[in-house]
Structures are given as structure tokens and as C-alpha cells.
Amino acid sequence: MSKIIVSPSILSADFANLERDIKAVEIAGADWIHVDVMDGHFVPNITIGVPVVISLRQVTDLPLDVHLMIDNPEKYIKAFAEAGADILTFHYEAVEKSKIKQVINLIKSFGIKAGMSIKPKTSPIEILEFLPDLDLLLVMTVEPGFGGQIFIQDCAKKIPTIKQSTNENLIIQVDGGINDQTAKICTNLGANSLVAGNYIYKASDYKQAIDSLR
Ligand code: DX5
Ligand code: ZN
């Protein structure tokens, strides 16, 4: 069985102490650091942008897993790639279908992993044609925009369709309401990367929380 990649979401960390909170999950066994970028348009919340990614790049060697919940992601891919993102995930719903391949290729042109994410109401059937080009497919298990929401079990049911339709190199990631119980549901269905914000950062023991997800 391939290793489960755990990517703590710093949305649930203390923004005044990001270095401290990243080091803490690094020591606790995190594989990646998940960075949620929101623009107040694609989602009804605003978080952080390129300057923060530049600063995070100086304080961790872990891969920066940047989740773009923004309109017109193609305009910002170069800036995030140059800022030090290792995985850049845009939303399928934020790009015209005819331009999706261009966006994927643009991300890859910077030598980093290209990810695409689907919201809860998007059918996996719609995006199967893009799977061969992607390094990562992120299945949102809540409506994007906020941490601490309840896992939507129906979303996880998309995972087998995606898994059966692609090669084993595709990373299937889930994000939203992930805890030790919901992680098990997702990994049993074929997910191999777990994003978790509240479950990790609200835990008293980060290592125990991360270990329990695997
Ligand atoms: C939500 C973000 C998530 C969020 C997850 O839109 O994409 O990454 O931080 O938070 P939890 O794990 O608390 O649901
Ligand atoms: Zn996210």
C-alpha cells in the first residue's frame, strides 16, 4: 500500500505564529504544508496570497501544497510557482473548460505538480478527461471557504470513479472535515492524501493526530 500523504492546513494555525506552527507539524510528521488561498470571489472568504508563500518558503523544506480557491487562477500561477509552491491546485469550476489543459500545462511548465480540485456539486464524470494530465485531483469534502466544517460523505463516493479511471500515479487528495474517522472512509475508497486543519491544529498532540490519520 502506498504511503498516505498528510498535509496539515495552516488555515487552522495561528497566523501570527506560522513559523512556529509549521515547525510543530513538521516535527510531528507532516508530509506537506497545505496553504489555502482565497480571494473573496470564488469563495466568500479572504485569506492569504503570494507574499505569505514567499515567507513560508524560507522557514520550511516541506513541500508547499497550495490550494487556490480563486477566480482566474491562470493569472497567478507564475507568481505562486516563483514564490515556492511545490504543488499548485486550482479549481475546475474557476476555469473555462476549453482552457483547463492550458492551465495544467502552465503549472507544469514551472516544474511543479499540477493539481485540480472539484467542489461538492461537481460530478467526477465531468473531469475524467483531465486525469491523465494531472498529478493530483483534490476532491473537496466540504464547500470550500472555511475550516472546521462537517465532512460530506457523498463527496467521498466520487473517489472510486476517479481511481478506476486513471493511473496509479495520480494523487487523490481530500480536504474538508477530515478526522481519524472520515480519513478512514476516504483512504478505504482510494484517497492517498489527506488535508486536515482543525483536526490537527486543535489537537493537544499533533503527532498523535497525524498518526491517527494514517
Ligand atoms: C476549506 C479549505 C480547507 C480547510 C480544511 O475551504 O480548503 O483546506 O482548511 O479545514 P478542516 O480540516 O478544519 O475542515
Ligand atoms: Zn484546502
Side-chain angles (χ1 to χ4, degrees):
M1 217 174 72
S2 65
K3 188 178 178 269
I4 304 290
I5 299 163
V6 176
S7 191
S9 167
I10 56 165
L11 189 59
S12 301
D14 176 356
F15 276 8
N17 288 288
L18 285 177
E19 179 174 7
R20 180 199 70 190
D21 284 1
I22 285 174
K23 290 270 183 261
V25 291
E26 200 172 320
I27 291 164
D31 299 294
W32 294 353
I33 298 296
H34 187 81
V35 181
D36 286 302
V37 176
M38 305 188 191
D39 66 353
H41 291 273
F42 182 74
V43 289
N45 194 9
I46 299 176
T47 54
I48 55 177
V50 172
V52 175
V53 175
I54 292 173
S55 295
L56 297 182
R57 187 67 293 164
Q58 338 260 299
V59 301
T60 184
D61 291 328
L62 287 185
L64 294 176
D65 167 28
V66 178
H67 179 192
L68 299 177
M69 284 160 278
I70 61 173
D71 283 333
N72 306 310
E74 67 286 351
K75 286 191 188 168
Y76 303 94
I77 284 166
K78 181 172 191 280
F80 279 104
E82 289 176 352
D86 298 277
I87 302 106
L88 210 40
T89 299
F90 67 96
H91 264 270
Y92 166 73
E93 301 85 0
V95 179
E96 251 177 65
K97 196 158 184 175
S98 62
K99 303 220 169 101
I100 298 268
K101 279 209 175 169
Q102 268 169 259
V103 175
I104 296 171
N105 288 336
L106 179 61
I107 297 173
K108 286 183 166 175
S109 74
F110 293 98
I112 60 175
K113 284 192 166 67
M116 186 170 83
S117 180
I118 54 171
K119 297 208 285 183
K121 291 193 185 79
T122 301
S123 155
I125 307 295
E126 265 185 69
I127 56 96
L128 294 183
E129 65 188 276
F130 302 111
L131 295 182
D133 298 310
L134 288 166
D135 296 301
L136 178 146
L137 194 280
L138 167 55
V139 177
M140 287 305 297
T141 42
V142 298
E143 281 298 337
F146 300 90
Q149 301 183 79
I150 305 287
F151 177 79
I152 305 169
Q153 187 141 356
D154 270 355
C155 295
K157 293 182 187 152
K158 299 174 188 178
I159 298 168
T161 311
I162 291 158
K163 196 163 174 62
Q164 283 152 23
S165 312
T166 187
N167 62 64
E168 58 184 26
N169 293 326
L170 180 77
I171 298 165
I172 303 178
Q173 186 177 61
V174 286
D175 180 7
I178 298 299
N179 57 36
D180 55 344
Q181 302 301 314
T182 58
K184 206 181 293 167
I185 295 171
C186 295
T187 53
N188 283 342
L189 289 168
N192 59 353
S193 174
L194 306 167
V195 176
N198 269 22
Y199 181 68
I200 294 173
Y201 276 111
K202 300 279 184 261
S204 52
D205 183 337
Y206 294 167
K207 185 175 182 335
Q208 197 180 53
I210 290 173
D211 288 346
S212 73
L213 291 173
R214 288 213 181 87

